[in-house]
Amino acid sequence: MKGNARHIIEATVIILAGILLFQSFYIQFLDKDIRKRAQYAALEKVVSYPARGAIYDRNSKLLVYNNPVYDIEALYRKIDKNMDTARFCQLLGIDRATFISELNKDWSNKQFSKSKPFPFIKRVPVDQFAGFQEMMHEFPGFSAQLRYIRGYPRPIAAHAMGYISEVDPAEIEKSNGVYERGDYKGTSGIERAYESQLKGDKGYKYLLKDNLGVTVGSYQNGALDSAARSGDELMVSLDADLQEYGERLMQNKRGSVVAIEPSTGEILCLISAPTYNPNLLTVDRDRGKYFSALVQDTLKPLFDRTVQAQYPPGSIFKTVVALAGLQMGVLDPNKGTHCGGSYTLGRVYKCSHIHYDPRNLGDALEQSCNVYFYQKIQDIMNKYGSDKPGKGLDEFAGYMRQFGLGKMLGMDYFNELPGTIPTDAYYKRHYYRLFRDSTWKAAYEISIGIGQGVIQLTTAQMANLCAAIANRGYWITPHFYKGVIKNHQLQPQDKFLEKHKIDIDPRHFETVIDGMERAVLTGTARIAQLKGIEVCGKTGTAQNPHGADHSVFCAFAPKDNPKIAIAVIVENSGFGSTFAAPVASLLMEKYINGKVDSTRTWLEKRTLEQDLIHKPQPAPPTKP
Amino acid sequence: MLQITTKKEWKGDKVMWLIIGILIGFGLLAVYSATGSMAYLRYKGNTEVYLLKQLVMAGIGLLCMYACHRQNYLIYNKLAPVLFLLAIPLLLYTLAFGVETNDAKRWITLPVINLSFQTSDYARLALIMYLARSLSNKQEYIKDFKSAFIPVMVPVLLICGLIAPANLSTALLLFATSVMLMFVGRVSFKYIFMMAFFGILLFGTVVLIWWFFPDAVRVDTWISRITDFISNENGGGYQVQQSKIAIANGSWLGLGPGNSTQRNFLPAAYADYIYAIICEEYGLIGATGILLLYLWLLFRVSRIVMKSPKAFGAILAMGLTLNLVVQAFANMAVSVNLVPVTGLTLPLVSMGGTSVLFTSVAFGIIMSVSKFIESIQEEQPAPENELMKMANTSPKPKTVEDESDH
């Protein structure tokens, strides 16, 4: 290579290097502005957390509010080595061991730095903090960060409200910068469904700090700072008094209650028993302890029986069988049948009560005659000939879907299950698996006519089907959301307005509603009679593989212009009229009349005292 | 069998191997420190993940270097035209169908092995090889415009022009390297200025294309970066501020390895701003050290290629080294706010994916040239004899040394 060229290039590169080095040197030692900035060892982003939106019930009664707590942060470098540790621990209510273990972090771990504040003690209650705050100036290096956790004035509606918890790293990654470490987020129930409304926005302040962690000033004169914005206040459809009363009625029982306002689809109460005190799962210092206790509880209080438990509905299913049969034209409402207490078709199917022969559909519903409905479901399936039960069944299943059965309702509530409504394809698979032959006969499966066999519904679905009957042919997706409250004004919701219409003639609904009314007046559900209110209901007694029959009851009231539709399940307790119907009727009475009539206080007392969990099942006492 | 003795297998200049080793070591330390916050974001604080990734890449890079330096460097002379011709469709394909990141189509993904890389990294290597070949072949009649200069100038303008729309800084770097190579290859100043003029024309064309197809070229990004740089009243944008604070924090001796605080505030501290982190943790002493390492590398190469019997080896090694060293300087210049933000990495030090492999190949080729020169020195203590022999066996390409002796 030509020496000349080489020297020129080398010289150029040396000059370039010289310029680079000088610039580094200039920044390091001569640029006064940057020198000053460098003294603020770091730019710190200080977060102020928003208050989460409060939640009110339909009557503007407070359900969930915010409890301020303080996270105490420590800046290791600034802590006075000779501080009064004993007094400090006493003020914060911690012991010396906690103090030492929480303060001496693993400094080789990059997560912690001696010159950056780190969370020292989390969630100190306000009263405790008040004492500490006065003395805080004696303990340099400690600072406090205001956070909000949830509080519940009445310990009710734990499942419906859900809870919040700290976001995990996967959620942070997914959220695209919305959530950061240490943020809270709704994990279940309404807290989760309306997270975006409730959460609010964090505020940020950018502070320049020197290398001792002392604030020197605000960054760019606060041009980038923003204030925290509180979350929206939410009104939900629950009736807190009804919810509380229902939870009391369901105490010491396993089961679930869902009540809906038929005209709007608003959920009035949603109870899964046994329930738990929502204050236990608020993100305070003892949360972990209570959470694991609830998880380990054999009664599974965290399990939501309203949408996650699928029950055979039992006889309440007869109402929709009747409706589908009427619309399909295979059921004559004026024809009766002979009930000899049992029905023989290959094997003997029993009727559960002894009663007179039903002369028509009304009698059959009133007496909940199994034989009648065995015959009717057989007629439904065999509508297109006994060789084609699948065609009739699929038509029937189509009507069930219109009622929201066998599919998810689409509530603003998580973990809904669809239940089971069999179809031709379902039985073909089933029989092929059993016998390697997919042909099946209506006669094999008549138990679905009384809501047994493979039929399964959730409590929410049962309440919804009752609401659909009460509405004479349509339903609105059950929901909690009533709207956001802005400037003390409810902003009405527009999410749940669609009417799901059912292609069944309204006059058929009247026929079935008459039958349900007669069931209450003179039939199996007489215990649900209310003074001055026309109640339409249907009992059910669901045989199930988990033990004694479930007591099932669904009803709506009043008959005209209905205000409430309700479904109640009391697990493993027997006849529908014994346990479920009293609970449902008391709730309806309380909701419509505001109080329980003095003639029924015995029933209220009995229901409150019944304990199906802790002692053997008592024999139902009779009316005095 | 498996024991690779350094003497036998790793040939070439020992000092250069040492420099490469130190740079890689520096890189491991700095990247490990700089990726801390990212590790918390992605791997639940498992900071070793990035260290391991960097270690694996360094290992693969060393393997590449080893493999490339074992070849006789003349093979690159033969391969150059093929590699160069391949670069053109690859760059065109990237512009049309490349993977888009940050508004720029720079990457393509190889089918089957599912490896994505920046085609400009490849094109750089190919062009420098091709230039080295052309310049050395045409040494005799290099002053002739038509037969000699056009075959050199057209490839440069073509490749730089194809890289520029998506990656202006790489194109400028490559163009600058090419100009220096021509200078080394004894092209007259007249032609070099002419090429610079054509380069400006080409750049104008690219901007014109943007005028009509704003999505095709990133001119708007360039403009915003340059205006950011010029309107420097408050000390520049956020990145620049943070980078300057990091450098100022360092003072003479730095905060010590792993003690950077600015790594939490500097975006892409592990790549574009690694020099700022080095300044912060190792101070002016460390920063000077790393700068000197690159300088030393350049000087070492230029001393070695002095002894090269063939112009091709000399120009090739010099071209690759210049390219890498200038890239390093450009990266540092961004950190100290001498030039606008570019996105060029610090070779061998920054964390990077496949670009590390191309850097390694470049070093492998440089070492291959150095190995060859070392071997002739060992065999023939008097290089003149060797040169004579070479000149006799292959009369066409005259050696640079030959001519410089005139």
Side-chain angles (χ1 to χ4, degrees):
Chain A
M1 183 160 57
K2 195 174 160 186
N4 228 355
R6 206 191 92 208
H7 290 308
I8 292 175
I9 285 183
E10 282 179 359
T12 318
V13 172
I14 288 176
I15 291 169
L16 285 177
I19 295 173
L20 273 174
L21 266 185
F22 177 75
Q23 178 78 0
S24 307
F25 180 80
Y26 178 80
I27 294 174
Q28 263 155 334
F29 300 103
L30 302 176
D31 188 334
K32 288 212 180 87
D33 190 39
I34 289 294
R35 267 321 274 166
K36 216 165 66 197
R37 277 173 211 277
Q39 280 172 359
Y40 328 140
L43 182 64
E44 193 172 275
K45 197 161 97 172
V46 179
V47 184
S48 52
Y49 290 93
R52 206 174 160 82
I55 303 176
Y56 295 91
D57 89 334
R58 62 190 300 113
N59 301 316
S60 299
K61 285 184 183 160
L62 188 60
L63 286 170
V64 188
Y65 63 97
N66 288 304
N67 249 334
V69 290
Y70 288 88
D71 286 359
I72 308 292
E73 293 176 341
L75 180 59
Y76 193 88
R77 266 196 197 170
K78 281 192 70 193
I79 294 171
D80 181 4
K81 296 286 167 296
N82 304 315
M83 65 182 262
D84 186 350
T85 319
R87 174 135 178 74
F88 181 86
C89 291
Q90 182 215 333
L91 282 169
L92 280 179
I94 55 173
D95 54 25
R96 215 186 135 71
T98 318
F99 177 81
I100 289 166
S101 69
E102 289 298 319
L103 200 57
N104 293 296
K105 300 287 181 195
D106 172 12
W107 301 115
S108 64
N109 185 336
K110 285 204 193 91
Q111 198 181 345
F112 303 108
S113 156
K114 286 186 179 176
S115 48
K116 259 173 92 179
F118 59 89
F120 168 60
I121 301 280
K122 284 188 171 180
R123 298 181 274 274
V124 177
V126 174
D127 43 351
Q128 185 123 52
F129 179 73
F132 175 71
Q133 193 175 24
E134 283 174 25
M135 295 287 124
M136 217 155 98
H137 62 276
E138 285 184 15
F139 306 106
F142 291 96
S143 57
Q145 167 75 57
L146 176 65
R147 299 295 305 262
Y148 294 98
I149 60 170
R150 292 305 226 180
Y152 305 84
R154 299 153 90 172
I156 54 167
H159 290 99
M161 291 300 128
Y163 50 87
I164 57 173
S165 45
E166 244 179 73
V167 284
D168 60 43
E171 285 170 323
I172 297 172
E173 175 88 345
K174 247 194 309 186
S175 76
N176 241 332
V178 177
Y179 294 103
E180 290 163 313
R181 214 149 58 98
D183 285 358
Y184 299 141
K185 181 174 191 265
T187 323
S188 73
I190 292 168
E191 296 274 19
R192 179 173 165 197
Y194 296 103
E195 165 70 14
S196 56
Q197 281 95 327
L198 291 169
K199 80 172 172 49
D201 297 319
K202 281 175 289 186
Y204 295 103
K205 236 190 264 168
Y206 294 85
L207 296 178
L208 292 166
K209 302 218 159 181
D210 70 5
N211 44 11
L212 291 172
V214 177
T215 305
V216 195
S218 65
Y219 179 64
Q220 291 187 358
N221 293 324
L224 302 173
D225 295 2
S226 60
R229 186 189 65 84
S230 300
D232 291 331
E233 297 192 321
L234 206 66
M235 182 181 272
V236 294
S237 60
L238 289 177
D239 181 316
D241 297 333
L242 190 70
Q243 176 82 23
E244 185 172 30
Y245 185 57
E247 287 185 13
R248 276 176 58 217
L249 291 176
M250 289 299 285
Q251 68 195 6
N252 297 323
K253 301 172 189 66
R254 257 179 308 153
S256 49
V257 178
V258 176
I260 299 173
E261 184 175 69
S263 59
T264 58
E266 288 173 2
I267 298 168
L268 301 171
C269 73
L270 180 133
I271 298 159
S272 174
T275 180
Y276 59 91
N277 184 339
N279 283 310
L280 296 182
L281 288 194
T282 188
V283 272
D284 64 6
R285 281 196 245 172
D286 297 325
R287 203 253 189 93
K289 193 174 74 192
Y290 291 121
F291 193 82
S292 54
L294 287 171
V295 168
Q296 283 159 17
D297 192 328
T298 51
L299 294 169
K300 295 190 187 166
L302 289 177
F303 179 61
D304 189 338
R305 291 174 158 82
T306 59
V307 291
Q308 289 178 44
Q310 304 182 106
Y311 303 100
S315 301
I316 68 163
F317 197 63
K318 289 170 184 168
T319 54
V320 277
V321 171
L323 284 165
L326 286 166
Q327 184 66 23
M328 287 167 76
V330 297
L331 193 153
D332 184 341
N334 300 316
K335 271 197 188 150
T337 189
H338 166 67
C339 177
S342 67
Y343 183 54
T344 309
L345 187 79
R347 68 183 180 89
V348 179
Y349 293 87
K350 276 196 178 155
C351 199
S352 42
H353 324 278
I354 306 296
H355 57 81
Y356 59 84
D357 281 346
R359 290 152 301 179
N360 52 35
L361 174 60
D363 288 351
L365 284 170
E366 178 202 292
Q367 294 302 328
S368 196
C369 176
N370 286 354
V371 172
Y372 181 88
F373 285 97
Y374 285 139
Q375 289 172 356
K376 295 312 161 200
I377 195 73
Q378 208 177 344
D379 292 346
I380 286 171
M381 289 192 271
N382 289 339
K383 179 183 173 186
Y384 300 99
S386 57
D387 54 335
K388 288 196 267 291
K391 205 172 168 195
L393 179 71
D394 280 350
E395 190 176 342
F396 172 76
Y399 286 111
M400 295 306 108
R401 295 241 183 295
Q402 291 189 26
F403 276 100
L405 311 181
K407 64 170 192 181
M408 282 184 270
L409 292 172
M411 300 160 68
D412 51 355
Y413 198 50
F414 291 90
N415 305 323
E416 245 190 278
L417 288 181
T420 312
I421 296 293
T423 57
D424 185 31
Y426 178 95
Y427 281 132
K428 276 188 171 146
R429 263 200 317 274
H430 176 72
Y431 282 97
Y432 184 78
R433 214 175 288 148
L434 283 179
F435 307 116
R436 296 278 160 240
D437 179 5
S438 61
T439 52
W440 61 281
K441 291 268 179 289
Y444 305 161
E445 294 297 341
I446 59 171
S447 58
I448 65 172
I450 61 161
Q452 294 288 159
V454 297
I455 304 272
Q456 283 189 322
L457 306 183
T458 65
T459 316
Q461 283 173 328
M462 296 180 208
N464 187 53
L465 92 80
C466 229
I469 295 172
N471 286 337
R472 277 81 170 162
Y474 75 86
W475 52 279
I476 293 172
T477 308
H479 60 274
F480 290 108
Y481 189 53
K482 266 185 91 75
V484 164
I485 302 172
K486 285 205 172 119
N487 305 325
H488 307 286
Q489 281 283 295
L490 178 68
Q491 314 289 313
Q493 58 95 5
D494 53 5
K495 285 162 72 176
F496 299 98
L497 298 175
E498 192 201 344
K499 288 181 178 178
H500 304 278
K501 292 241 164 60
I502 297 163
D503 299 328
I504 290 178
D505 200 318
R507 74 193 152 91
H508 297 323
F509 278 99
E510 294 301 344
T511 314
V512 170
I513 288 169
D514 283 339
M516 287 169 76
E517 189 183 15
R518 285 177 55 194
V520 174
L521 289 176
T522 51
T524 52
R526 291 188 303 276
I527 197 151
Q529 286 172 22
L530 297 177
K531 207 190 264 176
I533 303 170
E534 290 170 296
V535 177
C536 305
K538 185 74 200 77
T539 54
T541 306
Q543 294 168 11
N544 68 84
H546 307 294
D549 295 350
H550 296 326
S551 172
V552 187
F553 185 70
C554 84
F556 64 89
K559 182 182 176 189
D560 296 314
N561 204 2
K563 287 194 165 56
I564 181 170
I566 190 167
V568 176
I569 292 197
V570 182
E571 288 181 18
N572 309 118
S573 64
F575 285 123
S577 52
T578 348
F579 290 96
V583 171
S585 71
L586 286 166
L587 280 168
M588 286 191 290
E589 187 177 12
K590 183 91 173 174
Y591 181 69
I592 296 169
N593 289 345
K595 60 178 173 56
V596 175
D597 193 80
S598 57
T599 57
R600 283 165 51 85
T601 42
W602 68 271
L603 184 67
E604 183 181 33
K605 188 163 177 286
R606 191 193 89 181
T607 311
L608 287 171
E609 283 168 0
Q610 273 161 349
D611 187 341
L612 302 177
I613 291 178
H614 303 101
K615 3 178 213 207
Q617 186 179 320
T622 47
K623 195 174 172 177
Chain B
M1 283 285 283
L2 281 171
Q3 226 176 8
I4 298 174
T5 51
T6 339
K7 266 219 157 138
K8 270 186 189 164
E9 302 290 329
W10 295 81
K11 291 181 177 163
D13 188 56
K14 306 241 160 26
V15 177
M16 277 173 58
W17 280 120
L18 182 72
I19 299 172
I20 291 171
I22 297 175
L23 282 173
I24 291 176
F26 237 121
L28 284 173
L29 282 176
V31 166
Y32 182 41
S33 168
T35 49
S37 57
M38 198 161 68
Y40 276 99
L41 214 61
R42 304 234 174 110
Y43 295 100
K44 302 181 180 174
N46 195 351
T47 45
E48 278 72 35
V49 173
Y50 286 103
L51 180 66
L52 265 174
K53 276 189 177 173
Q54 181 77 351
L55 258 176
V56 168
M57 283 317 290
I60 296 173
L62 276 174
L63 275 180
C64 282
M65 268 185 232
Y66 176 75
C68 290
H69 107 284
R70 294 289 291 171
Q71 310 300 323
N72 183 339
Y73 78 99
L74 286 173
I75 202 171
Y76 304 115
N77 194 354
K78 281 188 201 127
L79 281 175
V82 183
L83 293 177
F84 171 73
L85 284 178
L86 199 61
I88 299 166
L90 266 179
L91 285 172
L92 280 172
Y93 177 84
T94 313
L95 275 181
F97 309 107
V99 182
E100 202 164 320
T101 43
N102 301 333
D103 280 346
K105 286 180 180 170
R106 293 179 181 175
W107 299 79
I108 61 168
T109 306
L110 288 182
V112 189
I113 50 174
N114 199 23
L115 191 77
S116 57
F117 70 100
Q118 292 200 45
T119 38
S120 55
D121 279 336
Y122 164 78
R124 274 157 72 174
L125 273 181
L127 179 67
I128 293 172
M129 275 189 218
Y130 185 78
L131 268 186
R133 178 192 157 96
S134 298
L135 286 171
S136 58
N137 278 353
K138 300 187 167 72
Q139 277 292 308
E140 288 167 46
Y141 41 96
I142 197 78
K143 311 279 180 197
D144 181 49
F145 183 74
K146 261 189 195 158
S147 55
F149 188 56
I150 293 208
V152 173
M153 184 183 72
V154 171
V156 174
L157 290 176
L158 183 68
I159 297 288
C160 290
L162 286 176
I163 295 176
N167 200 344
L168 183 65
S169 44
T170 302
L172 287 177
L173 172 67
L174 192 52
F175 192 78
T177 314
S178 305
V179 168
M180 284 196 264
L181 272 190
M182 286 179 191
F183 191 54
V184 172
R186 296 158 42 81
V187 176
S188 78
F189 278 108
K190 192 172 72 185
Y191 294 146
I192 292 176
F193 281 125
M194 195 184 287
M195 197 177 80
F197 173 70
F198 279 118
I200 293 165
L201 263 190
L202 184 73
F203 183 68
T205 320
V206 171
V207 175
L208 211 64
I209 291 172
W210 166 72
W211 197 262
F212 292 107
F213 308 97
D215 291 340
V217 198
R218 306 206 312 156
V219 175
D220 30 357
T221 313
W222 306 341
I223 292 174
S224 79
R225 281 184 180 177
I226 291 168
T227 44
D228 271 4
F229 176 71
I230 294 169
S231 67
N232 197 354
E233 287 139 22
N234 309 339
Y238 178 78
Q239 298 181 358
V240 174
Q241 282 254 7
Q242 297 304 326
S243 165
K244 278 179 162 180
I245 291 177
I247 294 170
N249 271 347
S251 200
W252 284 107
L253 289 169
L255 302 175
N259 289 337
S260 163
T261 50
Q262 285 304 104
R263 64 182 174 212
N264 302 316
F265 304 103
L266 259 177
Y270 43 84
D272 297 13
Y273 283 99
I274 196 88
Y275 182 68
I277 300 294
I278 290 172
C279 281
E280 188 182 10
E281 295 196 345
Y282 304 92
L284 190 64
I285 305 294
T288 315
I290 201 142
L291 200 100
L292 286 180
L293 279 175
Y294 285 109
L295 266 187
W296 192 8
L297 194 73
L298 181 74
F299 278 55
R300 194 76 199 167
V301 171
S302 84
R303 289 284 173 286
I304 289 168
V305 297
M306 274 276 286
K307 300 164 196 148
S308 170
K310 291 197 177 185
F312 174 69
I315 299 177
L316 179 65
M318 204 57 201
L320 291 171
T321 312
L322 271 174
N323 191 256
L324 290 167
V325 171
V326 174
Q327 182 186 338
F329 282 12
N331 171 282
M332 297 175 187
V334 170
S335 283
V336 299
N337 197 27
L338 276 174
V339 296
V341 177
T342 60
L344 289 170
T345 55
L346 198 54
L348 291 180
V349 177
S350 287
M351 187 172 86
T354 42
S355 71
V356 173
L357 300 184
F358 288 100
T359 311
S360 303
V361 168
F363 275 109
I365 295 173
I366 297 169
M367 293 315 291
S368 164
V369 175
S370 132
K371 177 194 80 176
F372 178 76
I373 295 167
E374 205 171 61
S375 72
I376 55 168
Q377 276 181 318
E378 273 167 23
E379 285 164 23
Q380 300 277 340
E384 284 79 13
N385 292 350
E386 180 68 17
L387 277 179
M388 299 290 276
K389 231 195 259 172
M390 285 290 214
N392 288 336
T393 43
S394 53
K396 216 176 154 194
K398 273 197 171 181
T399 64
V400 185
E401 262 74 20
D402 257 346
E403 292 183 351
S404 61
D405 289 338
H406 285 312

